[in-house]
Amino acid sequence: MAQILDGKALSGQILENLKTDIAHTVAEGAPPPGLGILTVGNNPASRTYVRNKLKKAARAGFYTRHISLPQQATQAEVLEAVRTLNTDPAVHGFIVQLPLPQGLDEDQILSAVSPAKDADGFHPENLGRIVAGHPRIFPATPAGVMRLLRAYEIPTEGKHVVIAGRSRIVGKPLSLMMADREGGNAAVTLIHSRVPGPERFTRQADIFVSAVGRPRLWKAGHFRPGVTIIDVGINYDEEGNLCGDVDFPSVEPMAPAPSPPSPAA
Ligand SMILES: NC(=O)c1ccc[n+]([C@@H]2O[C@H](COP(=O)([O-])OP(=O)(O)OC[C@H]3O[C@@H](n4cnc5c(N)ncnc54)[C@H](OP(=O)(O)O)[C@@H]3O)[C@@H](O)[C@H]2O)c1
């Protein structure tokens, strides 16, 4: 029987803890934490993500401010909206929802976000601080992977962690966090689309994390028994069904037995 790392249950517990903490600080007279979100255009997946982020933030007690620009917004208009959020004292951190419409300079826009308000941790200064070993904020998805492993008391120190995907929002920062002395302390292998025969590496993994974006790419034959697998992928197969990068029914029998998560971890 496989151990399922229940990220949904853990996030629910974290949200409840956050709600209590925010209620206390607000009762003591502090302003609520403020989360801003800037969206450009009408990407359907982004609309769903943003709706959920705003809903959860509001439920936890955040003040939220959503700036929504049309698909045709110019670079100058997007940069102006970034400046608005940078200078809004009620917004303590904000997200520029990616992907941005084609034609916009994503690097310039992310670099215009004040590093102190960079809620996603994508600003070059914040990514650089992770490399330098003085992190201010971690990108959310890699931070979620580390938190999930901690909550289930799955050690990373001295383990071989294989990560598939080298995007700057998931795979690359996660590889640094896993290798870091104050972080995962793991031996890390980062694979990507230019690595032929990935099973050479995946079969050696104690922990495998996939952030590739290919439906059900990884099957039982890619792994050895007892491996811990975290599937970050959010994909749709040819029939339009939501699925991950991992062929879950195929790998499920390979993992160890269940234990509940600990949100305090
Ligand atoms: N759960 C979450 O919170 C969350 C957050 C962000 C993203 N996601 C999901 O995670 C997945 C990846 O997102 P992303 O933004 O990181 O993607 P991305 O920027 O498209 O990067 C994908 C990475 O996967 C590599 N890759 C592609 N095909 C591969 C293959 N056959 N074998 C090994 N590596 C391969 C690519 O290699 P190259 O560099 O060589 O092209 C690239 O490094 C998507 O499904 C996305 O929806 C989930």
Side-chain angles (χ1 to χ4, degrees), residues 49 141 164-167 169-171 191-194 211-214 217-218 232-235 245:
Y49 293 146
T141 305
R166 56 178 163 180
S167 71
I169 66 171
V170 192
I191 62 172
H192 45 77
S193 73
R194 299 301 193 90
V212 159
R214 300 275 179 276
L217 175 68
W218 310 108
V232 165
I234 304 173
N235 314 305
D245 294 344

Side-chain angles (χ1 to χ4, degrees), residues 76-184:
E77 286 165 339
V78 179
L79 289 171
E80 184 53 38
V82 168
R83 268 191 292 276
T84 301
L85 291 168
N86 277 341
T87 52
D88 181 345
V91 170
H92 300 99
F94 66 97
I95 291 164
V96 177
Q97 184 66 36
L98 303 179
L100 293 167
Q102 272 191 349
L104 292 174
D105 181 343
E106 185 178 298
D107 281 344
Q108 191 194 30
I109 291 165
L110 292 181
S111 298
V113 173
S114 161
K117 288 193 173 189
D118 173 29
D120 260 334
F122 297 159
H123 190 284
E125 181 182 315
N126 288 324
L127 290 170
R129 289 176 74 110
I130 297 175
V131 179
H134 305 293
R136 177 194 275 137
I137 182 161
F138 295 109
T141 305
V145 170
M146 302 299 284
R147 186 76 185 260
L148 193 57
L149 289 168
R150 259 203 336 268
Y152 279 89
E153 296 175 0
I154 295 169
T156 53
E157 181 159 336
K159 303 292 182 193
H160 185 191
V161 178
V162 177
I163 299 164
R166 56 178 163 180
S167 71
R168 78 168 152 188
I169 66 171
V170 192
K172 223 181 265 178
L174 181 62
S175 67
L176 291 166
M177 291 157 71
M178 281 289 185
D180 193 80
R181 197 185 291 273
E182 309 299 325

